[in-house]
Amino acid sequence: GGNEIMGISLVTFNDKTVTPQDDALVYEVAAGKSGLIYGGVVTLSSANVLHITGGHGIIAGRKFTIEAADINVQLTSSGTLKGRLYVHLDLSNQSNPISLLVERAASLTPPVQTPNVNISNGVYEFNIAEFTIGTATISDLKNVAQTFHATSKVLTAGQTTIIFDNLPTVGDYLIDFYASNGMGYEQIDTSIPGQVSLTFEQQDSNVTIYCNIKEA
């Protein structure tokens, strides 16, 4: 072989510590985009209140969870403004690295998407909804986040196997599996076309397993 040079180490390996940065860098490439996996749907619950459903998403390769919430938006005193509800990730903010924010403006600021955000502890944003704010109500509400074709199943405590079926058998697809707690699977069986059986270590509590299908 070649001369061995020090300075490289395998992170994803037995008894090694996988940091959130390690995971995020992998998922950032694997996911290829930021968006919602499930839920996070915005509707108008009253004239100036947005309702967002609970959900899950990925931003810059990092998994996040949205709790269902009502978000008050200040109406205008005259005329209209544009509005957006967006996810704001700031990796330098230790106490509050992710937040849902509303912007009201004559013209909306483009989302900040720092290159190499996971290396530089940068800021990364994407819009979930855009709307028009008037004197009496919010209108023209559109859900604009990219979504993943993810299905999910719950691996109940003590169970070790989960099966996803009805998977595409024709065409080029990248199919990714990931768990809500970040664990990997022990074994994968793809011997039956259109079906994947995954085996995990037994867990003490329920874990959601996501199957994300992307066209290659």
Side-chain angles (χ1 to χ4, degrees):
N3 295 329
E4 188 178 354
I5 300 163
M6 300 307 287
I8 183 169
S9 60
L10 188 61
V11 172
T12 314
F13 199 64
N14 295 339
D15 300 329
K16 295 286 186 188
T17 300
V18 179
T19 69
Q21 182 192 40
D22 292 324
D23 254 4
L25 287 165
V26 173
Y27 280 129
E28 188 182 353
V29 177
K33 61 184 177 185
S34 295
L36 297 170
I37 299 166
Y38 173 83
V41 177
V42 181
T43 52
L44 203 54
S45 65
S46 65
N48 71 319
V49 179
L50 302 173
H51 179 76
I52 188 165
T53 62
H56 299 273
I58 296 178
I59 184 162
R62 290 172 186 255
K63 161 81 170 57
F64 64 87
T65 304
I66 295 172
E67 306 289 334
D70 288 312
I71 298 149
N72 284 296
V73 179
Q74 189 186 337
L75 295 172
T76 63
S77 46
S78 67
T80 60
L81 288 173
K82 301 252 183 244
R84 67 180 177 124
L85 175 69
Y86 64 103
V87 180
H88 173 79
L89 175 78
D90 180 356
L91 294 175
S92 66
N93 185 333
Q94 290 295 322
S95 58
N96 190 25
I98 194 166
S99 46
L100 275 176
L101 299 176
V102 171
E103 181 183 32
R104 302 162 73 251
S107 61
L108 296 175
T109 316
V112 176
Q113 298 188 336
T114 312
N116 296 323
V117 55
N118 287 305
I119 302 289
S120 63
N121 270 355
V123 170
Y124 207 91
E125 300 171 339
F126 73 86
N127 293 345
I128 288 189
E130 295 177 7
F131 43 92
T132 302
I133 307 164
T135 55
T137 188
I138 290 169
S139 57
D140 301 330
L141 175 65
K142 294 184 195 67
N143 282 269
V144 296
Q146 293 204 69
T147 54
F148 293 87
H149 299 288
T151 51
S152 65
K153 299 205 169 184
V154 175
L155 182 73
T156 51
Q159 189 187 351
T160 57
T161 303
I162 209 154
I163 292 173
F164 287 94
D165 45 25
N166 299 324
L167 299 177
T169 52
V170 179
D172 287 332
Y173 290 92
L174 296 169
I175 303 182
D176 261 332
F177 300 97
Y178 45 99
S180 55
N181 67 353
M183 69 175 174
Y185 51 81
E186 302 280 290
Q187 285 180 303
I188 181 165
D189 178 355
T190 57
S191 57
I192 301 170
Q195 181 174 304
V196 171
S197 168
L198 300 172
T199 307
F200 294 90
E201 275 185 26
Q202 263 190 354
Q203 302 294 305
D204 299 333
S205 55
N206 289 0
V207 179
T208 306
I209 311 298
Y210 295 96
C211 168
N212 176 29
I213 302 169
K214 284 195 317 209
E215 289 189 39

